[in-house]
Amino acid sequence: MPTSTWFRLNVAKRERVLEVAMREFGDHGYSTGSLNTIAREAGIAKGSLFQYFSDKLEFFAFVCDETSRRIREEMERRIARLDFEQSFEEWLFDVLCEWTEYMADHPLERAVTAATNFELDNAVRSVVRDTANQHYLQVLHPTFELWQERGDIREDADLEVMATLMLMALPFLALSPYYDGLDPVMNLRGRTPAEQRPVIRQLIAGLRPLFAPIK
């Protein structure tokens, strides 16, 4: 948790520090991300960072949490605009298309998402992934329950399994088009959001047996 000194900074300065930190940690991860670089590019003394955060891990965790919060809030806004009168399958397709378009348009957020997923230090990764996963689940769980109540997800469907698979699919779709070696099967590397749509259709078709009402 940042110190009170952080919250006393003017908004523009906080945003500048956060943006620079997102870029540095997104490019280099926690272990090799440089506080010296962040301080220099944000136009502050390095010592000031330790007036805002107790140590580098707390700073990194805050950057990742803030990034996840921004992603969640924007996705909630986008989801709220979608047509809930369509089928769950079509709605899920729209959600995942919005997700891939958001990641294409927000390279900083995408890079921090990569940093949370690729971090080698297990203790560090656990801290930031636990937080990111909670942001995802705050959207997934209630939404799946709503669709189940409406009958578009069958009554005996295991929502925990569906949520688990979505937690795997979201980083995969967010990162595979931009990082080598993540997708040897679907060949998403380098594809635009429009070009990713057939793959999204294919993935949803593979998940259909988990949720489709039995006729």
Side-chain angles (χ1 to χ4, degrees):
M1 183 70 180
T3 67
S4 58
T5 305
W6 170 259
F7 293 107
R8 287 198 297 269
L9 292 176
N10 67 65
V11 173
K13 190 170 186 177
R14 285 205 308 267
E15 284 297 312
R16 185 168 69 252
V17 172
L18 183 60
E19 181 177 342
V20 169
M22 288 172 67
R23 183 178 300 108
E24 178 66 13
F25 286 133
D27 287 345
H28 302 287
Y30 169 77
S31 299
T32 57
S34 169
L35 297 183
N36 286 326
T37 299
I38 294 171
R40 182 179 67 252
E41 294 188 2
I44 61 174
K46 180 181 178 181
S48 296
L49 291 174
F50 295 105
Q51 295 177 353
Y52 309 149
F53 302 93
S54 61
D55 55 27
K56 183 180 180 181
L57 178 55
E58 185 179 69
F59 185 27
F60 180 62
F62 175 77
V63 171
C64 293
D65 181 46
E66 180 65 15
T67 302
S68 295
R69 182 189 65 78
R70 292 183 178 192
I71 294 171
R72 188 199 79 224
E73 290 179 352
E74 175 58 24
M75 285 304 300
E76 285 176 328
R77 284 190 287 269
R78 292 180 180 222
I79 290 171
R81 297 196 296 264
L82 297 179
D83 180 10
F84 273 87
E85 298 305 314
Q86 62 186 325
S87 69
F88 171 71
E89 189 170 332
E90 289 302 314
W91 174 87
L92 183 58
F93 174 74
D94 287 346
V95 169
L96 294 180
C97 288
E98 290 285 351
W99 174 254
T100 57
E101 288 169 7
Y102 175 86
M103 285 297 170
D105 293 338
H106 294 80
L108 284 182
E109 285 80 358
R110 184 178 72 232
V112 175
T113 299
T116 65
N117 281 271
F118 298 159
E119 174 56 47
L120 295 178
D121 187 312
N122 189 60
V124 174
R125 188 178 63 255
S126 176
V127 170
V128 295
R129 285 303 311 158
D130 285 351
T131 300
N133 286 337
Q134 288 308 309
H135 281 289
Y136 290 146
L137 291 173
Q138 285 171 19
V139 177
L140 293 175
H141 272 155
T143 308
F144 285 171
E145 289 170 358
L146 174 62
W147 281 102
Q148 191 172 50
E149 290 171 6
R150 287 181 46 169
D152 281 65
I153 295 177
R154 69 172 183 268
E155 190 174 337
D156 67 340
D158 191 329
L159 299 187
E160 296 300 314
V161 170
M162 290 183 61
T164 298
L165 292 175
M166 286 297 293
L167 287 178
M168 297 165 64
L170 290 172
F172 171 77
L173 290 171
L175 304 178
S176 293
Y178 309 97
Y179 294 88
D180 293 332
L182 298 183
D183 177 25
V185 178
M186 299 294 187
N187 297 315
L188 282 172
R189 182 70 172 96
R191 293 198 192 187
T192 66
E195 293 169 335
Q196 294 167 41
R197 292 186 175 194
V199 174
I200 294 173
R201 285 283 188 200
Q202 188 176 353
L203 291 173
I204 293 174
L207 293 173
R208 188 182 298 123
L210 295 176
F211 64 80
I214 299 173
K215 297 181 180 179

